Every structure is written in C-alpha cells, then in structure tokens.
Amino acid sequence: MKLSYKNTIIAFAVMLFLPLLIHDNSFLMHILIMSCLFSVLLVGWDLIMGYAGIFSFGQIAIFTIGAYSSAMLSKIVGLPPLISILVGSLIACGVGIIVALPSLRLAGIYVAMVTFLLHEALISMIRIGRVIGTGGATSITGIPPLSFLGYSFPSIERLPWYYVSLTLAFLSYFVFIRIINSSYGISFVALRDAEDLAKSVGVDDYRSKIIVFAMAALFAGLAGGFYAHYMRLVSVRILGLDNFILLLVMLIVGGLGKFPGVIVATFIFTILNEYMRPLEVFRPILLGVMVIVAIIYMPNGIGGIINFITTKFRRFKRIS
Amino acid sequence: MFNQLISIFANGITISSTYAIVAIGLSLVYGVSKTFNYAYGSFATVGAYITWLLFSMFDWMNYPVAIMVMIPFMFLFGIAIEWLIPRPLRKNENWEITTVVATLGLGVLLANLVLFLFGPYTKALPELGGGTVSIGHVQLDWNRIVILILAILIVVGLKLFLKKTYIGMSMRAVAQDIEGARVVGMKINHIFALTFGISTVLAGLCGMLLGTIYFLTPSGGWEIFIKAFVIVALGGAGSIDGALYAAFILGITESFVQFTLGPIWVMPFWFIFLMAVLIFKPRGLLGIR
C-alpha cells in the first residue's frame, strides 16, 4: 500500500496556522517544538524498526551524538550553528553506518544489542570526553543559538523555533514517505511479509537496510543538532532510561510500521509526559506498563486504528 | 608488580564465574525458546534486593537460608513473568521483536519499582566469608573464594541437571528440534516456562553474588545484562560451554581494563569487544548454528 502525501500536506497546513491561536502560550509552544523534534527521531525509528525490520535501540544515542557534535563544533571550534548542525548530523550518520555495517548481516537480536550497548557506552564516552569538552557527567551550557543570514534566533521568542522545527519535521516526513513508496519500501514490505520468497527472487536486504539506517541516523542527528541549539544545553540526561522508555512508548503505542500513528503518538505523549511529571518515580513505571500492555493488546497501535478508520471511511464513500 | 598482576587475575576469575552464571541463564533461554529477555539484568537486581531485604528483616539471617528462600521465589517469579509476557506474544507473527520490546519495558519497570521500594541509596550485602587468606605473597578475600566455589557448584549442578534428569533432557530436546519435540508429545509451553524460571533463578543468584562485591543500585542490572549478552555473543548463542569460556576470557580482560584504564572504560570496552566479535567471529566460539 502506497502512502499518500495528501494527509501530511493537510497536517502541515494546520500546523502552520496553529501559532495564531497559541503563540502567547510559551509552554505549549515549547511542547510543540519538542514534539516536532522528537517526531523526526521517531519517524526514522519507525522506518527502520517497523518497516525495514531492524531491531534498533540506538536512535536516541544517534540523536545525542548529533546534539553533542553540533554543540561542541559551534561552541569550541566556533562554526556557525547551521553548519555545525549539518556536520554534526553527518557525524551521527557516520556512527550509525559504522554500527550498522557489521551487525545488519546478523540476526536481529544482535542489532538490538549492539545499538543498546552503543547507548550505554555513549554515557561513559561522554564522561571520559570531559577533557575534550563534552562536559562530562554534567552538561554543555551556553551553546550559541541558531543564526541564519545574520538573523539570530532569540531564546525567549518561540515562534521562529517553531517554524524551523516544523519545517524539519515535515521535511523528514516527506523523505520517509518517499522512501517507503520507493522500491526500497516495497522490498522491505516483501521481506517482512514473505522473507524466503523475497530473498529467492533476489531482493538484497543488506544494502537497502544500510541506506535506510543511514537516512534515519542522518535525520536523528539533524533533530539532535536543532535540539542542542534550541535548548542551548545538552546533558547526559537525554540518555536516561526514563527518556528512553518514553520514546519507546511513543513508537509502540503509535504502531510499528503504521506510518502516521507514530507522529500522532509523539504529540500525545510529549504533552502527556508533562502532565505526568508530578508522578515522579511512578512515571517510568507507568510507561513500562504501557509498553507491555500496548504491545500485547494493541500490536498495531494508533496507526492501526487510523488505518482502520480511513479504510472504513473510504468504503463508506464508495458505497454512497 | 607480579603479585599485583596475580591478584588482578584472581579477582578477574571470581568476577568471571558470576558472569558465567548469568550468561548461561541468558543463553539457556535463547537456546530453548529463542526468546531474548531484556529484563534479565533487572531480574538480577531483584534477586540481590530480595537478599538484602531478608538480611535487613531478620537478624539471624544467613546465606544458606537466604539462598533457600530466594531460589523458589525467583523461580515462581520467572514462571509468572513467562506466563504474562512472552507466552501471549509468541502467538503473534513477529514475536521476536515484540518480546524484545516488551521485556525492555519490563526491565525499566522493575528497575524503577526497585528504586521506588528501596530508594536511590546504594546498599551492600554482607560478605559470604570474612578475612583474607594469603598464598605466598598474594592476598585473596575469603568472600571471593566462596563466590568462586558457589559458582562452580551452580554451573556443575546445572550441567548435571541438563545431562542426567528427564526435565533437563527434554529441555535440550526442545532446544535441538522444537517440532520434533512437539511431535513426540512434549508440552512445549511447560518446558519454556521451566527454562525461563531456571534462568531467573540463575540471574537472582548472580545478582546476590555480585552484591557481596559491589554495591547494589536499582539500575545496576543493565550492566549485568549487557555483559551477559556480549558473553553469549562471543560464546555462541545457545551454547553453554561457549558461554563458560567466553565469561572467563571477557571477565579477566575486563578486570585488567579496569585496573589499567579505570572503571569508566569498562562499558566502552564491552562495546568495542562486541563489535570485534561481530566482525571477526559472528557465530561465536561454539555457536550451535
């Protein structure tokens, strides 16, 4: 089934005019910006885990690599933020490829573990890297804000940030729809649904998996770079397990391989997460329960529900 | 200098023996049911905290009683978890990935539950045996010697169980040929549950033994889990002997890394080692497939 661009364009138009209603509410704007950045990460994660069938847990690590690289390049080396974000995302992409090359040939479980271990090792590496300015166990502060053609983005006013992150998010959605509709996407669906048959007719999954993994890593790195310059602070807390489980809930409740679901879930859970903060230690416990319950009782997630409604609606239109 | 090397080596051996237990447990479940349990490290944490709870509740508590209480508890806990999570998921089409995700959720849940119940402060278990013993110029802790002895007993006991008993043989049969086992009338689900229970007991015992050397923290289980996986990858998935050799190779290397470069390099070391294994020896030392 090919994904259409229509709904995404409609959503983009709605999001474009949303600030007219809420631009005074700085907190809500912040949540929307974070949702956009997280959704870039998560759409990539959905692409590699839901569509390409790669068990990757390294998407947040790659996001963090993008954030730290861009932060350090702009603060220590002094590159302009826009260039440092691009270079940072290329570094993130490179790390993704290095990790993917040996592990994607093996059974899925090895990929899961290599990427999970990348996540854990990165925490130590950032601590070790204190000497080269990673901030160690604390954080990098005072990252210069984004500037573009002499216009420097203010840190109090959220509106310009909103439009930048919105553009990035929808750019990534269009790229991912394009990939899913391309021959890669078709070969992934074939591999997912009938692996032996697809391989016997010569579908080469290794090369296409590497390319898709690299694309997802590139966008996660971009989102990470924007995150660093938006927050003007990066710390190892991004790699914390409670953050990890939050993003995993978004992915699973959104539905693996059910495209728009993951975006909807990102927005819902980024908002919900803010209201769950008073729960403190119960928040990760609750999120853990959600992952388990969602995967057992709702394997298709929100995306499954959306697809169900749209097909029903289409059939209804055809009958009447 | 030489004495120092010997004592690092000796410490490496005791740590390795605990890693061997936990890696064998992980490998056993993977070999029998092809289920990969991401909550495995948290099971070790649960085991260690149960032991701590027993010691803090009763003044007269000693290790034989604690072990006797913990083994049935962890076994039932493991069977309950197997019944709740991997079993309903196994009916689905892509159960491998869903089981991984669900057990990862469970792992985070358990670690945070421990954090909630016991607080964020580190805890210590009493030593298994006090004092030191000197052989030549080298001093060894009694605690570590007892750990090594217990670990050897556990591994030997487990191997005998798998070789000699009816249940052990049926577990190996399921690992070799699941369809064949089903054809001759074995209750596959019972074997899966049993294997899961045994591996949970092994995780709990490992958590307890490591708790006598290091402090307990609610999130410490992840490190144990990662190490167990790298050991399984090097040893060959599903192979118990492989896991045993790999545990000693990696455990002793780790203690040298820890001594020369510092404990912060331990996690990067395991990551680099796993990458090297996947590049040069992707099937492990004694892989069954």
PDB file of all heavy atoms in Angstrom, chain A residues 55 102 106 109-110 112-114 117 120 124-125 127 241 244 284 289, chain B residues 36 38 97 101 104 109 112 222 226 229 264 267-268 275 278-279 282:
ATOM      1  N   PHE A  55      15.989  -4.278  14.394  1.00  0.00           N
ATOM      2  CA  PHE A  55      15.718  -4.041  15.829  1.00  0.00           C
ATOM      3  C   PHE A  55      16.739  -3.043  16.336  1.00  0.00           C
ATOM      4  O   PHE A  55      17.734  -3.437  16.898  1.00  0.00           O
ATOM      5  CB  PHE A  55      15.900  -5.294  16.673  1.00  0.00           C
ATOM      6  CG  PHE A  55      15.055  -6.468  16.336  1.00  0.00           C
ATOM      7  CD1 PHE A  55      14.296  -6.539  15.200  1.00  0.00           C
ATOM      8  CD2 PHE A  55      15.037  -7.551  17.201  1.00  0.00           C
ATOM      9  CE1 PHE A  55      13.537  -7.645  14.912  1.00  0.00           C
ATOM     10  CE2 PHE A  55      14.287  -8.661  16.918  1.00  0.00           C
ATOM     11  CZ  PHE A  55      13.537  -8.716  15.784  1.00  0.00           C
ATOM     12  N   PRO A 102      28.689  -4.078  10.474  1.00  0.00           N
ATOM     13  CA  PRO A 102      28.870  -5.486  10.867  1.00  0.00           C
ATOM     14  C   PRO A 102      27.602  -6.141  11.389  1.00  0.00           C
ATOM     15  O   PRO A 102      27.442  -7.350  11.256  1.00  0.00           O
ATOM     16  CB  PRO A 102      29.927  -5.410  11.969  1.00  0.00           C
ATOM     17  CG  PRO A 102      29.795  -4.058  12.527  1.00  0.00           C
ATOM     18  CD  PRO A 102      29.310  -3.174  11.433  1.00  0.00           C
ATOM     19  N   LEU A 106      23.681  -9.873  10.620  1.00  0.00           N
ATOM     20  CA  LEU A 106      23.391 -10.934  11.591  1.00  0.00           C
ATOM     21  C   LEU A 106      21.923 -10.909  11.982  1.00  0.00           C
ATOM     22  O   LEU A 106      21.163 -10.037  11.580  1.00  0.00           O
ATOM     23  CB  LEU A 106      24.263 -10.728  12.828  1.00  0.00           C
ATOM     24  CG  LEU A 106      25.757 -10.756  12.534  1.00  0.00           C
ATOM     25  CD1 LEU A 106      26.524 -10.220  13.695  1.00  0.00           C
ATOM     26  CD2 LEU A 106      26.194 -12.162  12.197  1.00  0.00           C
ATOM     27  N   ILE A 109      18.555  -9.849  16.733  1.00  0.00           N
ATOM     28  CA  ILE A 109      18.848  -9.654  18.138  1.00  0.00           C
ATOM     29  C   ILE A 109      20.219  -9.011  18.351  1.00  0.00           C
ATOM     30  O   ILE A 109      20.429  -8.258  19.285  1.00  0.00           O
ATOM     31  CB  ILE A 109      18.721 -11.017  18.853  1.00  0.00           C
ATOM     32  CG1 ILE A 109      18.470 -10.814  20.301  1.00  0.00           C
ATOM     33  CG2 ILE A 109      19.885 -11.917  18.638  1.00  0.00           C
ATOM     34  CD1 ILE A 109      17.119 -10.269  20.532  1.00  0.00           C
ATOM     35  N   TYR A 110      21.161  -9.292  17.432  1.00  0.00           N
ATOM     36  CA  TYR A 110      22.496  -8.703  17.561  1.00  0.00           C
ATOM     37  C   TYR A 110      22.441  -7.200  17.324  1.00  0.00           C
ATOM     38  O   TYR A 110      23.120  -6.432  17.988  1.00  0.00           O
ATOM     39  CB  TYR A 110      23.460  -9.347  16.563  1.00  0.00           C
ATOM     40  CG  TYR A 110      23.859 -10.736  16.945  1.00  0.00           C
ATOM     41  CD1 TYR A 110      23.188 -11.842  16.450  1.00  0.00           C
ATOM     42  CD2 TYR A 110      24.920 -10.953  17.814  1.00  0.00           C
ATOM     43  CE1 TYR A 110      23.544 -13.118  16.812  1.00  0.00           C
ATOM     44  CE2 TYR A 110      25.293 -12.228  18.181  1.00  0.00           C
ATOM     45  CZ  TYR A 110      24.597 -13.310  17.675  1.00  0.00           C
ATOM     46  OH  TYR A 110      24.952 -14.564  18.044  1.00  0.00           O
ATOM     47  N   ALA A 112      19.877  -5.315  17.908  1.00  0.00           N
ATOM     48  CA  ALA A 112      19.251  -4.756  19.104  1.00  0.00           C
ATOM     49  C   ALA A 112      20.299  -4.529  20.176  1.00  0.00           C
ATOM     50  O   ALA A 112      20.339  -3.482  20.829  1.00  0.00           O
ATOM     51  CB  ALA A 112      18.168  -5.699  19.612  1.00  0.00           C
ATOM     52  N   MET A 113      21.170  -5.507  20.323  1.00  0.00           N
ATOM     53  CA  MET A 113      22.135  -5.436  21.417  1.00  0.00           C
ATOM     54  C   MET A 113      23.256  -4.455  21.127  1.00  0.00           C
ATOM     55  O   MET A 113      23.664  -3.702  22.010  1.00  0.00           O
ATOM     56  CB  MET A 113      22.699  -6.842  21.620  1.00  0.00           C
ATOM     57  CG  MET A 113      23.119  -7.094  22.992  1.00  0.00           C
ATOM     58  SD  MET A 113      21.792  -6.812  24.143  1.00  0.00           S
ATOM     59  CE  MET A 113      22.718  -5.932  25.365  1.00  0.00           C
ATOM     60  N   VAL A 114      23.765  -4.450  19.882  1.00  0.00           N
ATOM     61  CA  VAL A 114      24.845  -3.513  19.550  1.00  0.00           C
ATOM     62  C   VAL A 114      24.362  -2.089  19.746  1.00  0.00           C
ATOM     63  O   VAL A 114      25.052  -1.255  20.342  1.00  0.00           O
ATOM     64  CB  VAL A 114      25.317  -3.714  18.093  1.00  0.00           C
ATOM     65  CG1 VAL A 114      26.273  -2.622  17.683  1.00  0.00           C
ATOM     66  CG2 VAL A 114      25.981  -5.052  17.935  1.00  0.00           C
ATOM     67  N   LEU A 117      23.947  -1.311  23.395  1.00  0.00           N
ATOM     68  CA  LEU A 117      25.253  -1.147  24.031  1.00  0.00           C
ATOM     69  C   LEU A 117      25.890   0.174  23.601  1.00  0.00           C
ATOM     70  O   LEU A 117      26.577   0.817  24.400  1.00  0.00           O
ATOM     71  CB  LEU A 117      26.134  -2.343  23.665  1.00  0.00           C
ATOM     72  CG  LEU A 117      27.428  -2.578  24.423  1.00  0.00           C
ATOM     73  CD1 LEU A 117      27.264  -2.347  25.890  1.00  0.00           C
ATOM     74  CD2 LEU A 117      27.907  -3.989  24.198  1.00  0.00           C
ATOM     75  N   GLU A 120      24.534   2.656  25.960  1.00  0.00           N
ATOM     76  CA  GLU A 120      25.141   2.603  27.293  1.00  0.00           C
ATOM     77  C   GLU A 120      26.586   3.083  27.266  1.00  0.00           C
ATOM     78  O   GLU A 120      27.030   3.788  28.173  1.00  0.00           O
ATOM     79  CB  GLU A 120      25.084   1.169  27.844  1.00  0.00           C
ATOM     80  CG  GLU A 120      23.690   0.698  28.153  1.00  0.00           C
ATOM     81  CD  GLU A 120      23.087   1.408  29.356  1.00  0.00           C
ATOM     82  OE1 GLU A 120      23.765   1.510  30.383  1.00  0.00           O
ATOM     83  OE2 GLU A 120      21.945   1.878  29.258  1.00  0.00           O
ATOM     84  N   SER A 124      29.291   6.524  29.087  1.00  0.00           N
ATOM     85  CA  SER A 124      30.667   6.516  29.596  1.00  0.00           C
ATOM     86  C   SER A 124      31.565   7.383  28.732  1.00  0.00           C
ATOM     87  O   SER A 124      32.423   8.106  29.247  1.00  0.00           O
ATOM     88  CB  SER A 124      31.219   5.094  29.609  1.00  0.00           C
ATOM     89  OG  SER A 124      30.371   4.242  30.297  1.00  0.00           O
ATOM     90  N   MET A 125      31.370   7.306  27.397  1.00  0.00           N
ATOM     91  CA  MET A 125      32.247   8.057  26.500  1.00  0.00           C
ATOM     92  C   MET A 125      32.107   9.560  26.739  1.00  0.00           C
ATOM     93  O   MET A 125      33.093  10.287  26.690  1.00  0.00           O
ATOM     94  CB  MET A 125      31.914   7.753  25.032  1.00  0.00           C
ATOM     95  CG  MET A 125      32.267   6.354  24.563  1.00  0.00           C
ATOM     96  SD  MET A 125      33.937   5.841  24.926  1.00  0.00           S
ATOM     97  CE  MET A 125      34.840   6.840  23.763  1.00  0.00           C
ATOM     98  N   ARG A 127      31.365  10.934  29.544  1.00  0.00           N
ATOM     99  CA  ARG A 127      32.066  11.222  30.806  1.00  0.00           C
ATOM    100  C   ARG A 127      33.575  11.257  30.583  1.00  0.00           C
ATOM    101  O   ARG A 127      34.265  12.138  31.088  1.00  0.00           O
ATOM    102  CB  ARG A 127      31.740  10.151  31.849  1.00  0.00           C
ATOM    103  CG  ARG A 127      30.306  10.214  32.261  1.00  0.00           C
ATOM    104  CD  ARG A 127      30.142   9.787  33.698  1.00  0.00           C
ATOM    105  NE  ARG A 127      28.745   9.921  34.058  1.00  0.00           N
ATOM    106  CZ  ARG A 127      28.011   8.933  34.550  1.00  0.00           C
ATOM    107  NH1 ARG A 127      28.553   7.770  34.786  1.00  0.00           N
ATOM    108  NH2 ARG A 127      26.753   9.131  34.839  1.00  0.00           N
ATOM    109  N   LEU A 241      17.281   6.272  31.164  1.00  0.00           N
ATOM    110  CA  LEU A 241      16.350   5.211  30.777  1.00  0.00           C
ATOM    111  C   LEU A 241      14.899   5.682  30.784  1.00  0.00           C
ATOM    112  O   LEU A 241      14.077   5.168  30.032  1.00  0.00           O
ATOM    113  CB  LEU A 241      16.501   4.018  31.718  1.00  0.00           C
ATOM    114  CG  LEU A 241      17.505   2.967  31.280  1.00  0.00           C
ATOM    115  CD1 LEU A 241      17.620   1.906  32.338  1.00  0.00           C
ATOM    116  CD2 LEU A 241      17.117   2.348  29.958  1.00  0.00           C
ATOM    117  N   PHE A 244      14.357   7.128  27.485  1.00  0.00           N
ATOM    118  CA  PHE A 244      14.362   6.030  26.522  1.00  0.00           C
ATOM    119  C   PHE A 244      12.992   5.352  26.488  1.00  0.00           C
ATOM    120  O   PHE A 244      12.419   5.120  25.424  1.00  0.00           O
ATOM    121  CB  PHE A 244      15.438   5.023  26.940  1.00  0.00           C
ATOM    122  CG  PHE A 244      15.660   3.915  25.970  1.00  0.00           C
ATOM    123  CD1 PHE A 244      16.599   4.046  24.973  1.00  0.00           C
ATOM    124  CD2 PHE A 244      14.944   2.739  26.055  1.00  0.00           C
ATOM    125  CE1 PHE A 244      16.815   3.030  24.079  1.00  0.00           C
ATOM    126  CE2 PHE A 244      15.149   1.722  25.170  1.00  0.00           C
ATOM    127  CZ  PHE A 244      16.089   1.868  24.177  1.00  0.00           C
ATOM    128  N   PRO A 284       8.112   6.469  35.014  1.00  0.00           N
ATOM    129  CA  PRO A 284       8.697   5.371  34.231  1.00  0.00           C
ATOM    130  C   PRO A 284       8.017   4.034  34.480  1.00  0.00           C
ATOM    131  O   PRO A 284       7.931   3.208  33.554  1.00  0.00           O
ATOM    132  CB  PRO A 284      10.164   5.345  34.656  1.00  0.00           C
ATOM    133  CG  PRO A 284      10.313   6.306  35.744  1.00  0.00           C
ATOM    134  CD  PRO A 284       9.125   7.174  35.797  1.00  0.00           C
ATOM    135  N   VAL A 289       4.660  -0.148  32.018  1.00  0.00           N
ATOM    136  CA  VAL A 289       3.410  -0.906  31.924  1.00  0.00           C
ATOM    137  C   VAL A 289       2.752  -0.638  30.567  1.00  0.00           C
ATOM    138  O   VAL A 289       2.268  -1.562  29.900  1.00  0.00           O
ATOM    139  CB  VAL A 289       2.458  -0.527  33.077  1.00  0.00           C
ATOM    140  CG1 VAL A 289       1.100  -1.171  32.886  1.00  0.00           C
ATOM    141  CG2 VAL A 289       3.039  -0.951  34.404  1.00  0.00           C
TER     142      VAL A 289
ATOM    143  N   PHE B  36      14.430 -13.643  23.646  1.00  0.00           N
ATOM    144  CA  PHE B  36      15.516 -12.856  24.203  1.00  0.00           C
ATOM    145  C   PHE B  36      14.955 -11.925  25.252  1.00  0.00           C
ATOM    146  O   PHE B  36      14.059 -11.151  24.976  1.00  0.00           O
ATOM    147  CB  PHE B  36      16.233 -12.094  23.093  1.00  0.00           C
ATOM    148  CG  PHE B  36      17.620 -11.786  23.482  1.00  0.00           C
ATOM    149  CD1 PHE B  36      18.577 -12.777  23.392  1.00  0.00           C
ATOM    150  CD2 PHE B  36      17.959 -10.564  23.981  1.00  0.00           C
ATOM    151  CE1 PHE B  36      19.866 -12.528  23.790  1.00  0.00           C
ATOM    152  CE2 PHE B  36      19.254 -10.309  24.378  1.00  0.00           C
ATOM    153  CZ  PHE B  36      20.207 -11.288  24.272  1.00  0.00           C
ATOM    154  N   TYR B  38      15.126  -8.963  27.686  1.00  0.00           N
ATOM    155  CA  TYR B  38      15.828  -7.725  28.020  1.00  0.00           C
ATOM    156  C   TYR B  38      15.694  -7.356  29.485  1.00  0.00           C
ATOM    157  O   TYR B  38      16.408  -6.484  29.959  1.00  0.00           O
ATOM    158  CB  TYR B  38      15.297  -6.579  27.151  1.00  0.00           C
ATOM    159  CG  TYR B  38      16.216  -6.236  26.033  1.00  0.00           C
ATOM    160  CD1 TYR B  38      16.386  -7.097  24.972  1.00  0.00           C
ATOM    161  CD2 TYR B  38      16.937  -5.060  26.036  1.00  0.00           C
ATOM    162  CE1 TYR B  38      17.239  -6.804  23.949  1.00  0.00           C
ATOM    163  CE2 TYR B  38      17.799  -4.752  25.007  1.00  0.00           C
ATOM    164  CZ  TYR B  38      17.939  -5.626  23.976  1.00  0.00           C
ATOM    165  OH  TYR B  38      18.799  -5.329  22.965  1.00  0.00           O
ATOM    166  N   ILE B  97      10.559  -9.522  17.814  1.00  0.00           N
ATOM    167  CA  ILE B  97      10.759  -8.093  18.090  1.00  0.00           C
ATOM    168  C   ILE B  97       9.831  -7.625  19.210  1.00  0.00           C
ATOM    169  O   ILE B  97      10.227  -6.862  20.083  1.00  0.00           O
ATOM    170  CB  ILE B  97      10.573  -7.287  16.788  1.00  0.00           C
ATOM    171  CG1 ILE B  97      11.113  -5.872  16.959  1.00  0.00           C
ATOM    172  CG2 ILE B  97       9.130  -7.200  16.341  1.00  0.00           C
ATOM    173  CD1 ILE B  97      11.368  -5.171  15.660  1.00  0.00           C
ATOM    174  N   VAL B 101      10.873  -5.842  22.821  1.00  0.00           N
ATOM    175  CA  VAL B 101      10.368  -4.539  23.270  1.00  0.00           C
ATOM    176  C   VAL B 101       9.631  -4.671  24.598  1.00  0.00           C
ATOM    177  O   VAL B 101       9.831  -3.871  25.524  1.00  0.00           O
ATOM    178  CB  VAL B 101       9.456  -3.927  22.188  1.00  0.00           C
ATOM    179  CG1 VAL B 101       8.770  -2.695  22.713  1.00  0.00           C
ATOM    180  CG2 VAL B 101      10.262  -3.585  20.959  1.00  0.00           C
ATOM    181  N   LEU B 104      11.995  -5.245  27.421  1.00  0.00           N
ATOM    182  CA  LEU B 104      12.714  -3.997  27.718  1.00  0.00           C
ATOM    183  C   LEU B 104      11.853  -3.097  28.595  1.00  0.00           C
ATOM    184  O   LEU B 104      12.329  -2.527  29.578  1.00  0.00           O
ATOM    185  CB  LEU B 104      13.088  -3.292  26.410  1.00  0.00           C
ATOM    186  CG  LEU B 104      13.848  -1.973  26.523  1.00  0.00           C
ATOM    187  CD1 LEU B 104      15.128  -2.161  27.296  1.00  0.00           C
ATOM    188  CD2 LEU B 104      14.159  -1.408  25.164  1.00  0.00           C
ATOM    189  N   LEU B 109      10.555  -1.064  34.033  1.00  0.00           N
ATOM    190  CA  LEU B 109       9.528  -1.097  35.086  1.00  0.00           C
ATOM    191  C   LEU B 109      10.106  -1.645  36.388  1.00  0.00           C
ATOM    192  O   LEU B 109       9.961  -1.030  37.457  1.00  0.00           O
ATOM    193  CB  LEU B 109       8.382  -1.984  34.594  1.00  0.00           C
ATOM    194  CG  LEU B 109       7.018  -1.980  35.266  1.00  0.00           C
ATOM    195  CD1 LEU B 109       6.025  -2.618  34.321  1.00  0.00           C
ATOM    196  CD2 LEU B 109       6.997  -2.718  36.562  1.00  0.00           C
ATOM    197  N   ASN B 112      12.670   0.631  38.092  1.00  0.00           N
ATOM    198  CA  ASN B 112      12.054   1.773  38.760  1.00  0.00           C
ATOM    199  C   ASN B 112      11.226   1.362  39.964  1.00  0.00           C
ATOM    200  O   ASN B 112      11.093   2.113  40.923  1.00  0.00           O
ATOM    201  CB  ASN B 112      11.205   2.575  37.775  1.00  0.00           C
ATOM    202  CG  ASN B 112      12.065   3.468  36.933  1.00  0.00           C
ATOM    203  OD1 ASN B 112      12.604   4.430  37.413  1.00  0.00           O
ATOM    204  ND2 ASN B 112      12.254   3.101  35.684  1.00  0.00           N
ATOM    205  N   TRP B 222      21.318  -3.395  34.344  1.00  0.00           N
ATOM    206  CA  TRP B 222      21.546  -3.235  32.899  1.00  0.00           C
ATOM    207  C   TRP B 222      22.955  -3.615  32.516  1.00  0.00           C
ATOM    208  O   TRP B 222      23.184  -4.224  31.481  1.00  0.00           O
ATOM    209  CB  TRP B 222      21.251  -1.799  32.469  1.00  0.00           C
ATOM    210  CG  TRP B 222      19.811  -1.493  32.609  1.00  0.00           C
ATOM    211  CD1 TRP B 222      19.234  -0.713  33.552  1.00  0.00           C
ATOM    212  CD2 TRP B 222      18.738  -2.011  31.812  1.00  0.00           C
ATOM    213  NE1 TRP B 222      17.878  -0.703  33.387  1.00  0.00           N
ATOM    214  CE2 TRP B 222      17.552  -1.486  32.328  1.00  0.00           C
ATOM    215  CE3 TRP B 222      18.688  -2.866  30.711  1.00  0.00           C
ATOM    216  CZ2 TRP B 222      16.302  -1.783  31.795  1.00  0.00           C
ATOM    217  CZ3 TRP B 222      17.453  -3.159  30.174  1.00  0.00           C
ATOM    218  CH2 TRP B 222      16.282  -2.625  30.710  1.00  0.00           C
ATOM    219  N   ILE B 226      24.024  -6.460  29.819  1.00  0.00           N
ATOM    220  CA  ILE B 226      24.853  -6.195  28.636  1.00  0.00           C
ATOM    221  C   ILE B 226      26.050  -7.134  28.613  1.00  0.00           C
ATOM    222  O   ILE B 226      26.373  -7.740  27.586  1.00  0.00           O
ATOM    223  CB  ILE B 226      25.308  -4.725  28.642  1.00  0.00           C
ATOM    224  CG1 ILE B 226      24.128  -3.827  28.295  1.00  0.00           C
ATOM    225  CG2 ILE B 226      26.450  -4.506  27.679  1.00  0.00           C
ATOM    226  CD1 ILE B 226      24.392  -2.383  28.514  1.00  0.00           C
ATOM    227  N   PHE B 229      25.072 -10.526  27.617  1.00  0.00           N
ATOM    228  CA  PHE B 229      24.839 -10.677  26.186  1.00  0.00           C
ATOM    229  C   PHE B 229      26.141 -10.786  25.414  1.00  0.00           C
ATOM    230  O   PHE B 229      26.280 -11.633  24.528  1.00  0.00           O
ATOM    231  CB  PHE B 229      24.028  -9.511  25.614  1.00  0.00           C
ATOM    232  CG  PHE B 229      23.863  -9.661  24.137  1.00  0.00           C
ATOM    233  CD1 PHE B 229      22.853 -10.448  23.646  1.00  0.00           C
ATOM    234  CD2 PHE B 229      24.764  -9.110  23.250  1.00  0.00           C
ATOM    235  CE1 PHE B 229      22.728 -10.658  22.289  1.00  0.00           C
ATOM    236  CE2 PHE B 229      24.646  -9.309  21.898  1.00  0.00           C
ATOM    237  CZ  PHE B 229      23.622 -10.081  21.417  1.00  0.00           C
ATOM    238  N   ILE B 264      35.709   3.537  34.267  1.00  0.00           N
ATOM    239  CA  ILE B 264      34.828   4.207  33.307  1.00  0.00           C
ATOM    240  C   ILE B 264      34.981   3.639  31.898  1.00  0.00           C
ATOM    241  O   ILE B 264      34.088   3.760  31.065  1.00  0.00           O
ATOM    242  CB  ILE B 264      35.083   5.730  33.343  1.00  0.00           C
ATOM    243  CG1 ILE B 264      33.857   6.466  32.823  1.00  0.00           C
ATOM    244  CG2 ILE B 264      36.324   6.113  32.576  1.00  0.00           C
ATOM    245  CD1 ILE B 264      33.617   7.773  33.461  1.00  0.00           C
ATOM    246  N   MET B 267      32.459  -0.014  30.099  1.00  0.00           N
ATOM    247  CA  MET B 267      31.362  -0.110  29.115  1.00  0.00           C
ATOM    248  C   MET B 267      31.855   0.070  27.676  1.00  0.00           C
ATOM    249  O   MET B 267      31.518  -0.733  26.817  1.00  0.00           O
ATOM    250  CB  MET B 267      30.268   0.910  29.441  1.00  0.00           C
ATOM    251  CG  MET B 267      29.197   0.374  30.366  1.00  0.00           C
ATOM    252  SD  MET B 267      28.307  -0.994  29.655  1.00  0.00           S
ATOM    253  CE  MET B 267      28.606  -2.274  30.816  1.00  0.00           C
ATOM    254  N   PRO B 268      32.678   1.109  27.380  1.00  0.00           N
ATOM    255  CA  PRO B 268      33.233   1.182  26.019  1.00  0.00           C
ATOM    256  C   PRO B 268      33.992  -0.083  25.632  1.00  0.00           C
ATOM    257  O   PRO B 268      33.915  -0.527  24.480  1.00  0.00           O
ATOM    258  CB  PRO B 268      34.170   2.389  26.092  1.00  0.00           C
ATOM    259  CG  PRO B 268      33.602   3.241  27.151  1.00  0.00           C
ATOM    260  CD  PRO B 268      33.008   2.307  28.157  1.00  0.00           C
ATOM    261  N   MET B 275      31.605  -5.350  19.016  1.00  0.00           N
ATOM    262  CA  MET B 275      31.775  -5.022  17.605  1.00  0.00           C
ATOM    263  C   MET B 275      32.829  -5.940  16.978  1.00  0.00           C
ATOM    264  O   MET B 275      32.644  -6.454  15.870  1.00  0.00           O
ATOM    265  CB  MET B 275      32.212  -3.560  17.434  1.00  0.00           C
ATOM    266  CG  MET B 275      31.158  -2.552  17.794  1.00  0.00           C
ATOM    267  SD  MET B 275      29.763  -2.550  16.680  1.00  0.00           S
ATOM    268  CE  MET B 275      30.447  -1.659  15.307  1.00  0.00           C
ATOM    269  N   LEU B 278      31.452  -9.363  16.387  1.00  0.00           N
ATOM    270  CA  LEU B 278      30.517  -9.420  15.267  1.00  0.00           C
ATOM    271  C   LEU B 278      31.245  -9.336  13.933  1.00  0.00           C
ATOM    272  O   LEU B 278      30.788  -9.887  12.934  1.00  0.00           O
ATOM    273  CB  LEU B 278      29.494  -8.289  15.365  1.00  0.00           C
ATOM    274  CG  LEU B 278      28.575  -8.347  16.573  1.00  0.00           C
ATOM    275  CD1 LEU B 278      27.495  -7.305  16.476  1.00  0.00           C
ATOM    276  CD2 LEU B 278      27.941  -9.724  16.721  1.00  0.00           C
ATOM    277  N   ILE B 279      32.383  -8.618  13.910  1.00  0.00           N
ATOM    278  CA  ILE B 279      33.114  -8.503  12.648  1.00  0.00           C
ATOM    279  C   ILE B 279      33.894  -9.785  12.368  1.00  0.00           C
ATOM    280  O   ILE B 279      33.851 -10.318  11.262  1.00  0.00           O
ATOM    281  CB  ILE B 279      34.046  -7.279  12.678  1.00  0.00           C
ATOM    282  CG1 ILE B 279      33.221  -5.993  12.725  1.00  0.00           C
ATOM    283  CG2 ILE B 279      34.965  -7.257  11.456  1.00  0.00           C
ATOM    284  CD1 ILE B 279      34.013  -4.761  13.032  1.00  0.00           C
ATOM    285  N   PRO B 282      31.334 -13.826  13.973  1.00  0.00           N
ATOM    286  CA  PRO B 282      29.903 -13.565  14.229  1.00  0.00           C
ATOM    287  C   PRO B 282      29.140 -14.754  14.780  1.00  0.00           C
ATOM    288  O   PRO B 282      28.097 -14.561  15.381  1.00  0.00           O
ATOM    289  CB  PRO B 282      29.382 -13.134  12.867  1.00  0.00           C
ATOM    290  CG  PRO B 282      30.382 -13.576  11.894  1.00  0.00           C
ATOM    291  CD  PRO B 282      31.695 -13.616  12.583  1.00  0.00           C
TER     292      PRO B 282
END
